[in-house]
Every structure is written in structure tokens, then in C-alpha cells.
Amino acid sequence: MAESNCADCSLRAKYDEKPKSFAGRFWRWHINWCPGWKGYMKSLDEAERAEIRQQYRLK
């Protein structure tokens, strides 16, 4: 499988810049079911995962 681009995703950058923009809201909705995002999260160590969960208010 190809390496995930989630860390450098342009939609994620748009969310970071303007969370209420259409692109930002789309990215936030998209990560709820995206298999690539789930794989990316599993590839991180526990500390990085916790940081991202807190940053994006994930479960």
C-alpha cells in the first residue's frame, strides 16, 4: 500500500487555517470514515495519536 499523505494533506491545512471553511469542514467530516486516515493514525505512536486527537477533538 502507498504511504499516507495525511500529514501533508492540503484539506487538512485548510482546516488548520480556517476550520469553518467548506474545505475544512469537508476534511473534518471525511476523516470520520476515511480508511487512509485510520491507517495514518495507527501508524503514529501513542503520544502523536493523543496530540492529534486533542488537536482535532477526536474520540
mmCIF file of all heavy atoms in Angstrom, residues 10-47:
data_model
loop_
_atom_site.group_PDB
_atom_site.id
_atom_site.type_symbol
_atom_site.label_atom_id
_atom_site.label_comp_id
_atom_site.label_asym_id
_atom_site.label_seq_id
_atom_site.Cartn_x
_atom_site.Cartn_y
_atom_site.Cartn_z
ATOM 1 N N SER A 10 -3.607 18.845 1.814
ATOM 2 C CA SER A 10 -3.980 20.249 1.605
ATOM 3 C C SER A 10 -5.314 20.574 2.273
ATOM 4 O O SER A 10 -5.511 21.687 2.762
ATOM 5 C CB SER A 10 -4.027 20.576 0.119
ATOM 6 O OG SER A 10 -4.991 19.786 -0.533
ATOM 7 N N LEU A 11 -6.233 19.606 2.324
ATOM 8 C CA LEU A 11 -7.503 19.852 3.020
ATOM 9 C C LEU A 11 -7.291 19.988 4.524
ATOM 10 O O LEU A 11 -7.936 20.814 5.173
ATOM 11 C CB LEU A 11 -8.508 18.736 2.733
ATOM 12 C CG LEU A 11 -9.093 18.711 1.335
ATOM 13 C CD1 LEU A 11 -9.989 17.494 1.158
ATOM 14 C CD2 LEU A 11 -9.842 19.982 1.027
ATOM 15 N N ARG A 12 -6.378 19.198 5.054
ATOM 16 C CA ARG A 12 -6.059 19.314 6.481
ATOM 17 C C ARG A 12 -5.463 20.694 6.776
ATOM 18 O O ARG A 12 -5.795 21.330 7.781
ATOM 19 C CB ARG A 12 -5.079 18.216 6.886
ATOM 20 C CG ARG A 12 -4.726 18.220 8.353
ATOM 21 C CD ARG A 12 -3.796 17.064 8.653
ATOM 22 N NE ARG A 12 -3.354 17.095 10.024
ATOM 23 C CZ ARG A 12 -2.465 16.268 10.531
ATOM 24 N NH1 ARG A 12 -1.946 15.304 9.782
ATOM 25 N NH2 ARG A 12 -2.099 16.355 11.776
ATOM 26 N N ALA A 13 -4.617 21.182 5.891
ATOM 27 C CA ALA A 13 -4.027 22.517 6.055
ATOM 28 C C ALA A 13 -5.115 23.591 6.018
ATOM 29 O O ALA A 13 -5.069 24.549 6.792
ATOM 30 C CB ALA A 13 -2.991 22.774 4.972
ATOM 31 N N LYS A 14 -6.100 23.400 5.143
ATOM 32 C CA LYS A 14 -7.202 24.359 5.079
ATOM 33 C C LYS A 14 -8.019 24.328 6.365
ATOM 34 O O LYS A 14 -8.463 25.365 6.847
ATOM 35 C CB LYS A 14 -8.082 24.086 3.871
ATOM 36 C CG LYS A 14 -7.396 24.434 2.566
ATOM 37 C CD LYS A 14 -8.267 24.119 1.381
ATOM 38 C CE LYS A 14 -7.498 24.191 0.104
ATOM 39 N NZ LYS A 14 -7.427 25.474 -0.486
ATOM 40 N N TYR A 15 -8.205 23.134 6.938
ATOM 41 C CA TYR A 15 -8.915 23.023 8.218
ATOM 42 C C TYR A 15 -8.118 23.748 9.307
ATOM 43 O O TYR A 15 -8.696 24.467 10.115
ATOM 44 C CB TYR A 15 -9.121 21.565 8.608
ATOM 45 C CG TYR A 15 -9.825 21.423 9.935
ATOM 46 C CD1 TYR A 15 -11.211 21.416 10.000
ATOM 47 C CD2 TYR A 15 -9.108 21.319 11.124
ATOM 48 C CE1 TYR A 15 -11.868 21.308 11.213
ATOM 49 C CE2 TYR A 15 -9.752 21.224 12.331
ATOM 50 C CZ TYR A 15 -11.131 21.215 12.372
ATOM 51 O OH TYR A 15 -11.779 21.118 13.584
ATOM 52 N N ASP A 16 -6.820 23.540 9.319
ATOM 53 C CA ASP A 16 -5.979 24.195 10.328
ATOM 54 C C ASP A 16 -6.046 25.712 10.200
ATOM 55 O O ASP A 16 -6.021 26.429 11.199
ATOM 56 C CB ASP A 16 -4.527 23.724 10.208
ATOM 57 C CG ASP A 16 -4.345 22.273 10.638
ATOM 58 O OD1 ASP A 16 -5.223 21.737 11.345
ATOM 59 O OD2 ASP A 16 -3.321 21.683 10.254
ATOM 60 N N GLU A 17 -6.132 26.198 8.960
ATOM 61 C CA GLU A 17 -6.170 27.641 8.719
ATOM 62 C C GLU A 17 -7.553 28.233 9.016
ATOM 63 O O GLU A 17 -7.664 29.254 9.691
ATOM 64 C CB GLU A 17 -5.798 27.915 7.263
ATOM 65 C CG GLU A 17 -5.660 29.375 6.934
ATOM 66 C CD GLU A 17 -5.258 29.575 5.476
ATOM 67 O OE1 GLU A 17 -4.411 28.810 4.979
ATOM 68 O OE2 GLU A 17 -5.812 30.495 4.859
ATOM 69 N N LYS A 18 -8.591 27.579 8.484
ATOM 70 C CA LYS A 18 -9.973 28.071 8.651
ATOM 71 C C LYS A 18 -10.901 26.876 8.847
ATOM 72 O O LYS A 18 -11.467 26.354 7.872
ATOM 73 C CB LYS A 18 -10.424 28.848 7.424
ATOM 74 C CG LYS A 18 -9.748 30.172 7.231
ATOM 75 C CD LYS A 18 -10.346 30.881 6.028
ATOM 76 C CE LYS A 18 -9.669 32.207 5.799
ATOM 77 N NZ LYS A 18 -10.226 32.871 4.621
ATOM 78 N N PRO A 19 -11.089 26.425 10.086
ATOM 79 C CA PRO A 19 -11.905 25.230 10.342
ATOM 80 C C PRO A 19 -13.343 25.339 9.840
ATOM 81 O O PRO A 19 -13.960 24.332 9.526
ATOM 82 C CB PRO A 19 -11.879 25.095 11.857
ATOM 83 C CG PRO A 19 -10.722 25.889 12.308
ATOM 84 C CD PRO A 19 -10.494 26.950 11.291
ATOM 85 N N LYS A 20 -13.875 26.532 9.725
ATOM 86 C CA LYS A 20 -15.273 26.678 9.306
ATOM 87 C C LYS A 20 -15.445 26.846 7.803
ATOM 88 O O LYS A 20 -16.567 26.962 7.316
ATOM 89 C CB LYS A 20 -15.927 27.829 10.055
ATOM 90 C CG LYS A 20 -16.004 27.540 11.543
ATOM 91 C CD LYS A 20 -16.906 28.486 12.257
ATOM 92 C CE LYS A 20 -16.842 28.170 13.730
ATOM 93 N NZ LYS A 20 -18.073 27.750 14.271
ATOM 94 N N SER A 21 -14.348 26.822 7.064
ATOM 95 C CA SER A 21 -14.452 26.900 5.604
ATOM 96 C C SER A 21 -15.058 25.598 5.087
ATOM 97 O O SER A 21 -15.058 24.570 5.761
ATOM 98 C CB SER A 21 -13.070 27.105 4.977
ATOM 99 O OG SER A 21 -12.269 25.949 5.144
ATOM 100 N N PHE A 22 -15.570 25.628 3.859
ATOM 101 C CA PHE A 22 -16.156 24.420 3.286
ATOM 102 C C PHE A 22 -15.116 23.298 3.211
ATOM 103 O O PHE A 22 -15.396 22.157 3.586
ATOM 104 C CB PHE A 22 -16.734 24.703 1.893
ATOM 105 C CG PHE A 22 -17.294 23.471 1.255
ATOM 106 C CD1 PHE A 22 -18.528 22.983 1.647
ATOM 107 C CD2 PHE A 22 -16.580 22.786 0.300
ATOM 108 C CE1 PHE A 22 -19.044 21.824 1.080
ATOM 109 C CE2 PHE A 22 -17.080 21.631 -0.278
ATOM 110 C CZ PHE A 22 -18.320 21.147 0.117
ATOM 111 N N ALA A 23 -13.925 23.611 2.724
ATOM 112 C CA ALA A 23 -12.868 22.597 2.605
ATOM 113 C C ALA A 23 -12.479 22.058 3.978
ATOM 114 O O ALA A 23 -12.256 20.850 4.138
ATOM 115 C CB ALA A 23 -11.648 23.172 1.897
ATOM 116 N N GLY A 24 -12.403 22.927 4.967
ATOM 117 C CA GLY A 24 -12.070 22.493 6.319
ATOM 118 C C GLY A 24 -13.126 21.590 6.910
ATOM 119 O O GLY A 24 -12.823 20.551 7.506
ATOM 120 N N ARG A 25 -14.386 21.974 6.730
ATOM 121 C CA ARG A 25 -15.480 21.144 7.251
ATOM 122 C C ARG A 25 -15.554 19.820 6.509
ATOM 123 O O ARG A 25 -15.843 18.785 7.093
ATOM 124 C CB ARG A 25 -16.811 21.892 7.153
ATOM 125 C CG ARG A 25 -16.895 23.028 8.167
ATOM 126 C CD ARG A 25 -18.203 23.757 8.104
ATOM 127 N NE ARG A 25 -18.286 24.426 6.806
ATOM 128 C CZ ARG A 25 -19.403 24.648 6.134
ATOM 129 N NH1 ARG A 25 -20.557 24.282 6.640
ATOM 130 N NH2 ARG A 25 -19.386 25.265 4.980
ATOM 131 N N PHE A 26 -15.280 19.854 5.193
ATOM 132 C CA PHE A 26 -15.264 18.609 4.418
ATOM 133 C C PHE A 26 -14.184 17.667 4.931
ATOM 134 O O PHE A 26 -14.422 16.473 5.112
ATOM 135 C CB PHE A 26 -15.039 18.913 2.922
ATOM 136 C CG PHE A 26 -14.961 17.667 2.093
ATOM 137 C CD1 PHE A 26 -16.113 17.027 1.681
ATOM 138 C CD2 PHE A 26 -13.733 17.124 1.746
ATOM 139 C CE1 PHE A 26 -16.048 15.858 0.936
ATOM 140 C CE2 PHE A 26 -13.648 15.961 0.997
ATOM 141 C CZ PHE A 26 -14.821 15.328 0.593
ATOM 142 N N TRP A 27 -12.985 18.186 5.183
ATOM 143 C CA TRP A 27 -11.895 17.344 5.692
ATOM 144 C C TRP A 27 -12.283 16.728 7.038
ATOM 145 O O TRP A 27 -12.090 15.540 7.251
ATOM 146 C CB TRP A 27 -10.600 18.146 5.853
ATOM 147 C CG TRP A 27 -9.522 17.325 6.470
ATOM 148 C CD1 TRP A 27 -8.727 16.424 5.835
ATOM 149 C CD2 TRP A 27 -9.152 17.287 7.850
ATOM 150 N NE1 TRP A 27 -7.877 15.829 6.737
ATOM 151 C CE2 TRP A 27 -8.124 16.347 7.982
ATOM 152 C CE3 TRP A 27 -9.586 17.957 8.983
ATOM 153 C CZ2 TRP A 27 -7.526 16.054 9.195
ATOM 154 C CZ3 TRP A 27 -8.983 17.676 10.194
ATOM 155 C CH2 TRP A 27 -7.976 16.733 10.288
ATOM 156 N N ARG A 28 -12.856 17.531 7.911
ATOM 157 C CA ARG A 28 -13.224 17.033 9.246
ATOM 158 C C ARG A 28 -14.278 15.934 9.135
ATOM 159 O O ARG A 28 -14.212 14.932 9.828
ATOM 160 C CB ARG A 28 -13.723 18.197 10.112
ATOM 161 C CG ARG A 28 -14.044 17.830 11.533
ATOM 162 C CD ARG A 28 -12.797 17.288 12.229
ATOM 163 N NE ARG A 28 -13.095 16.901 13.577
ATOM 164 C CZ ARG A 28 -13.616 15.734 13.956
ATOM 165 N NH1 ARG A 28 -13.908 14.824 13.041
ATOM 166 N NH2 ARG A 28 -13.847 15.472 15.209
ATOM 167 N N TRP A 29 -15.244 16.089 8.242
ATOM 168 C CA TRP A 29 -16.256 15.060 8.018
ATOM 169 C C TRP A 29 -15.613 13.818 7.414
ATOM 170 O O TRP A 29 -15.889 12.699 7.834
ATOM 171 C CB TRP A 29 -17.338 15.622 7.086
ATOM 172 C CG TRP A 29 -18.272 14.592 6.547
ATOM 173 C CD1 TRP A 29 -19.328 14.028 7.204
ATOM 174 C CD2 TRP A 29 -18.231 14.000 5.256
ATOM 175 N NE1 TRP A 29 -19.956 13.121 6.381
ATOM 176 C CE2 TRP A 29 -19.293 13.088 5.164
ATOM 177 C CE3 TRP A 29 -17.400 14.168 4.150
ATOM 178 C CZ2 TRP A 29 -19.551 12.335 4.024
ATOM 179 C CZ3 TRP A 29 -17.654 13.417 3.013
ATOM 180 C CH2 TRP A 29 -18.719 12.516 2.966
ATOM 181 N N HIS A 30 -14.731 14.026 6.454
ATOM 182 C CA HIS A 30 -14.081 12.946 5.714
ATOM 183 C C HIS A 30 -13.263 12.024 6.617
ATOM 184 O O HIS A 30 -13.294 10.806 6.434
ATOM 185 C CB HIS A 30 -13.187 13.569 4.630
ATOM 186 C CG HIS A 30 -12.363 12.589 3.879
ATOM 187 N ND1 HIS A 30 -12.851 11.839 2.855
ATOM 188 C CD2 HIS A 30 -11.049 12.257 4.010
ATOM 189 C CE1 HIS A 30 -11.884 11.069 2.378
ATOM 190 N NE2 HIS A 30 -10.783 11.304 3.062
ATOM 191 N N ILE A 31 -12.562 12.565 7.600
ATOM 192 C CA ILE A 31 -11.696 11.711 8.422
ATOM 193 C C ILE A 31 -12.491 10.770 9.321
ATOM 194 O O ILE A 31 -11.927 9.827 9.867
ATOM 195 C CB ILE A 31 -10.686 12.518 9.264
ATOM 196 C CG1 ILE A 31 -11.389 13.372 10.314
ATOM 197 C CG2 ILE A 31 -9.767 13.312 8.369
ATOM 198 C CD1 ILE A 31 -10.451 13.996 11.328
ATOM 199 N N ASN A 32 -13.785 10.977 9.457
ATOM 200 C CA ASN A 32 -14.601 10.076 10.282
ATOM 201 C C ASN A 32 -14.725 8.685 9.673
ATOM 202 O O ASN A 32 -14.962 7.730 10.397
ATOM 203 C CB ASN A 32 -15.996 10.664 10.504
ATOM 204 C CG ASN A 32 -15.960 11.835 11.441
ATOM 205 O OD1 ASN A 32 -15.269 11.816 12.443
ATOM 206 N ND2 ASN A 32 -16.694 12.874 11.096
ATOM 207 N N TRP A 33 -14.570 8.552 8.365
ATOM 208 C CA TRP A 33 -14.720 7.252 7.724
ATOM 209 C C TRP A 33 -13.580 6.880 6.775
ATOM 210 O O TRP A 33 -13.559 5.781 6.239
ATOM 211 C CB TRP A 33 -16.051 7.184 6.965
ATOM 212 C CG TRP A 33 -16.243 8.319 6.010
ATOM 213 C CD1 TRP A 33 -16.876 9.490 6.255
ATOM 214 C CD2 TRP A 33 -15.755 8.409 4.671
ATOM 215 N NE1 TRP A 33 -16.821 10.308 5.149
ATOM 216 C CE2 TRP A 33 -16.142 9.662 4.165
ATOM 217 C CE3 TRP A 33 -15.028 7.556 3.861
ATOM 218 C CZ2 TRP A 33 -15.828 10.079 2.878
ATOM 219 C CZ3 TRP A 33 -14.714 7.977 2.578
ATOM 220 C CH2 TRP A 33 -15.117 9.228 2.101
ATOM 221 N N CYS A 34 -12.638 7.745 6.576
ATOM 222 C CA CYS A 34 -11.551 7.516 5.619
ATOM 223 C C CYS A 34 -10.601 6.402 6.084
ATOM 224 O O CYS A 34 -9.991 6.514 7.148
ATOM 225 C CB CYS A 34 -10.766 8.808 5.425
ATOM 226 S SG CYS A 34 -9.350 8.612 4.323
ATOM 227 N N PRO A 35 -10.460 5.328 5.304
ATOM 228 C CA PRO A 35 -9.540 4.256 5.695
ATOM 229 C C PRO A 35 -8.082 4.714 5.700
ATOM 230 O O PRO A 35 -7.278 4.222 6.489
ATOM 231 C CB PRO A 35 -9.778 3.155 4.674
ATOM 232 C CG PRO A 35 -10.494 3.800 3.544
ATOM 233 C CD PRO A 35 -11.164 5.032 4.068
ATOM 234 N N GLY A 36 -7.735 5.668 4.841
ATOM 235 C CA GLY A 36 -6.369 6.200 4.825
ATOM 236 C C GLY A 36 -6.036 6.917 6.120
ATOM 237 O O GLY A 36 -4.941 6.775 6.670
ATOM 238 N N TRP A 37 -6.993 7.715 6.630
ATOM 239 C CA TRP A 37 -6.785 8.434 7.887
ATOM 240 C C TRP A 37 -6.651 7.442 9.038
ATOM 241 O O TRP A 37 -5.804 7.595 9.907
ATOM 242 C CB TRP A 37 -7.940 9.408 8.145
ATOM 243 C CG TRP A 37 -7.811 10.128 9.445
ATOM 244 C CD1 TRP A 37 -8.473 9.842 10.601
ATOM 245 C CD2 TRP A 37 -6.954 11.232 9.751
ATOM 246 N NE1 TRP A 37 -8.097 10.702 11.606
ATOM 247 C CE2 TRP A 37 -7.160 11.576 11.098
ATOM 248 C CE3 TRP A 37 -6.033 11.969 9.014
ATOM 249 C CZ2 TRP A 37 -6.483 12.613 11.718
ATOM 250 C CZ3 TRP A 37 -5.365 13.002 9.641
ATOM 251 C CH2 TRP A 37 -5.585 13.315 10.973
ATOM 252 N N LYS A 38 -7.471 6.412 9.033
ATOM 253 C CA LYS A 38 -7.401 5.401 10.097
ATOM 254 C C LYS A 38 -6.048 4.703 10.075
ATOM 255 O O LYS A 38 -5.443 4.476 11.123
ATOM 256 C CB LYS A 38 -8.542 4.407 9.959
ATOM 257 C CG LYS A 38 -9.876 5.049 10.288
ATOM 258 C CD LYS A 38 -11.022 4.096 10.092
ATOM 259 C CE LYS A 38 -12.321 4.851 10.372
ATOM 260 N NZ LYS A 38 -13.478 4.019 10.243
ATOM 261 N N GLY A 39 -5.553 4.397 8.880
ATOM 262 C CA GLY A 39 -4.234 3.787 8.761
ATOM 263 C C GLY A 39 -3.135 4.732 9.211
ATOM 264 O O GLY A 39 -2.173 4.320 9.865
ATOM 265 N N TYR A 40 -3.284 5.995 8.869
ATOM 266 C CA TYR A 40 -2.307 7.013 9.287
ATOM 267 C C TYR A 40 -2.264 7.104 10.800
ATOM 268 O O TYR A 40 -1.180 7.120 11.397
ATOM 269 C CB TYR A 40 -2.686 8.359 8.666
ATOM 270 C CG TYR A 40 -1.915 9.531 9.224
ATOM 271 C CD1 TYR A 40 -0.560 9.685 8.958
ATOM 272 C CD2 TYR A 40 -2.541 10.490 10.012
ATOM 273 C CE1 TYR A 40 0.149 10.767 9.463
ATOM 274 C CE2 TYR A 40 -1.846 11.572 10.522
ATOM 275 C CZ TYR A 40 -0.501 11.712 10.244
ATOM 276 O OH TYR A 40 0.203 12.767 10.751
ATOM 277 N N MET A 41 -3.423 7.144 11.426
ATOM 278 C CA MET A 41 -3.478 7.238 12.887
ATOM 279 C C MET A 41 -2.840 6.010 13.541
ATOM 280 O O MET A 41 -2.121 6.134 14.530
ATOM 281 C CB MET A 41 -4.919 7.412 13.366
ATOM 282 C CG MET A 41 -5.511 8.769 13.041
ATOM 283 S SD MET A 41 -4.705 10.133 13.884
ATOM 284 C CE MET A 41 -5.367 9.933 15.527
ATOM 285 N N LYS A 42 -3.070 4.836 12.967
ATOM 286 C CA LYS A 42 -2.472 3.611 13.516
ATOM 287 C C LYS A 42 -0.957 3.608 13.354
ATOM 288 O O LYS A 42 -0.256 2.979 14.148
ATOM 289 C CB LYS A 42 -3.058 2.381 12.827
ATOM 290 C CG LYS A 42 -4.452 2.063 13.283
ATOM 291 C CD LYS A 42 -4.966 0.815 12.604
ATOM 292 C CE LYS A 42 -6.387 0.534 13.029
ATOM 293 N NZ LYS A 42 -6.935 -0.647 12.353
ATOM 294 N N SER A 43 -0.452 4.304 12.354
ATOM 295 C CA SER A 43 0.995 4.320 12.111
ATOM 296 C C SER A 43 1.744 5.229 13.081
ATOM 297 O O SER A 43 2.959 5.149 13.192
ATOM 298 C CB SER A 43 1.290 4.751 10.672
ATOM 299 O OG SER A 43 1.074 6.143 10.508
ATOM 300 N N LEU A 44 1.024 6.103 13.773
ATOM 301 C CA LEU A 44 1.656 7.030 14.713
ATOM 302 C C LEU A 44 1.866 6.359 16.063
ATOM 303 O O LEU A 44 1.140 5.437 16.425
ATOM 304 C CB LEU A 44 0.767 8.264 14.907
ATOM 305 C CG LEU A 44 0.448 9.082 13.661
ATOM 306 C CD1 LEU A 44 -0.556 10.174 14.008
ATOM 307 C CD2 LEU A 44 1.697 9.682 13.071
ATOM 308 N N ASP A 45 2.846 6.853 16.812
ATOM 309 C CA ASP A 45 2.997 6.334 18.172
ATOM 310 C C ASP A 45 1.916 6.957 19.060
ATOM 311 O O ASP A 45 1.236 7.902 18.674
ATOM 312 C CB ASP A 45 4.405 6.561 18.726
ATOM 313 C CG ASP A 45 4.757 8.028 18.908
ATOM 314 O OD1 ASP A 45 3.898 8.809 19.351
ATOM 315 O OD2 ASP A 45 5.914 8.387 18.630
ATOM 316 N N GLU A 46 1.725 6.405 20.228
ATOM 317 C CA GLU A 46 0.620 6.793 21.104
ATOM 318 C C GLU A 46 0.639 8.283 21.464
ATOM 319 O O GLU A 46 -0.405 8.926 21.511
ATOM 320 C CB GLU A 46 0.624 5.943 22.379
ATOM 321 C CG GLU A 46 -0.618 6.120 23.220
ATOM 322 C CD GLU A 46 -1.929 5.852 22.475
ATOM 323 O OE1 GLU A 46 -1.990 4.876 21.714
ATOM 324 O OE2 GLU A 46 -2.888 6.632 22.660
ATOM 325 N N ALA A 47 1.809 8.859 21.671
ATOM 326 C CA ALA A 47 1.902 10.278 22.029
ATOM 327 C C ALA A 47 1.421 11.168 20.876
ATOM 328 O O ALA A 47 0.676 12.122 21.096
ATOM 329 C CB ALA A 47 3.335 10.635 22.412
#
